[in-house]
Amino acid sequence: MNAVLLLKLFLVPLLIALVTLAGRRWGPGVAGWLSAFPVVAGPILFFIAVEQGANFAANAAVGTLSAVLAMLAFGISYAWAARRYDWPASLALAYAGYAAAVFVLSLRDATLMIAAPVVFAALLLAPRFYPEARNTAAVTSKPVNDMLLRMAAGAMLVLLVTHFAAHLGPGLSGVFAMFPVMGTVLVLFTHRSAGGAAAIRLLRGMVFGFYAFSMFCAVLAWTLSTTGIGMAFLWALAAAGIVQMLTRLWLTRH
């Protein structure tokens, strides 16, 4: 078993486990904020870069950046549905919103100069489209082995996307690197165990986490072709880390 395969199988599940534990310690808003950090898509893009080359990965990073719009569609759809429905119907409507956004994105490959301003503008406007988190009766059932499910889903996504990257092409590889594995598992179990209001707070928290994620993708796409794979990911992670801390400071004050 080579080193890349080992990283695929163990790195992403480990990162998902750490985010899950942090969310249990500090609540759904923090879980949403942390889950939007590139703990799944980042490693996927790294594996794509190693296996398909820097130019392929740069284009994939632009696709992943564009897919933030699909994630916003997922979150807003789920949040509105959660005010009225339980998690099965809410999740179905969220996937419908996500699929519609992916279809629109697949019609044309975006460039970094177009994707970056559109995504950051969407992030500024997105909080206005989320509903109020009305308190509802919390469900007391506890999900069984939810940690293992989150970890297994993350590992499966990494294996599938990186395996089929050459067939999907860089644009769709990047888009599907942003498939809401973390979002699905987190919001599903939050909705089941704490109710719709907690699920809405988690999804709203994701919006603020997407600033760091978007910065990661933008810097990565910008630097991959000039600095090499290793330095590009270091620059992207550094930029994302700074933005993540700034958004946390803003959230703490407001």
Side-chain angles (χ1 to χ4, degrees), residues 86-253:
D86 205 350
W87 68 266
S90 299
L91 189 60
L93 291 171
Y95 278 142
Y98 174 84
V102 168
F103 173 76
V104 173
L105 292 172
S106 68
L107 296 177
R108 185 174 181 180
D109 291 336
T111 64
L112 179 61
M113 299 304 292
I114 294 175
V118 169
V119 167
F120 282 107
L123 289 175
L124 287 172
L125 295 173
R128 303 181 183 182
F129 292 93
Y130 281 79
E132 293 290 333
R134 297 183 302 186
N135 289 326
T136 57
V139 182
T140 58
S141 63
K142 295 292 183 181
V144 179
N145 293 330
D146 66 317
M147 177 81 77
L148 295 177
L149 176 59
R150 300 172 196 215
M151 296 168 69
M156 183 178 297
L157 176 65
V158 174
L159 290 172
L160 287 173
V161 174
T162 54
H163 177 74
F164 292 107
H167 303 287
L168 291 172
L172 281 178
S173 295
V175 169
F176 282 105
M178 194 59 172
F179 187 83
V181 170
M182 285 283 286
T184 295
V185 179
L186 282 172
V187 77
L188 188 155
F189 288 116
T190 299
H191 197 168
R192 289 183 61 192
S193 62
I200 293 171
R201 285 193 290 271
L202 182 141
L203 292 164
R204 189 187 295 272
M206 285 184 183
V207 175
F208 298 99
F210 283 141
Y211 281 99
F213 181 92
S214 301
M215 183 61 68
F216 172 85
C217 294
V219 172
L220 185 64
W222 184 268
T223 57
L224 264 174
S225 60
T226 57
T227 65
I229 294 174
M231 285 303 300
F233 275 87
L234 288 176
W235 279 110
L237 286 171
I242 292 171
V243 173
Q244 189 82 339
M245 291 302 101
L246 291 175
T247 56
R248 185 58 188 166
L249 289 174
W250 190 92
L251 286 171
T252 302
R253 293 184 179 182

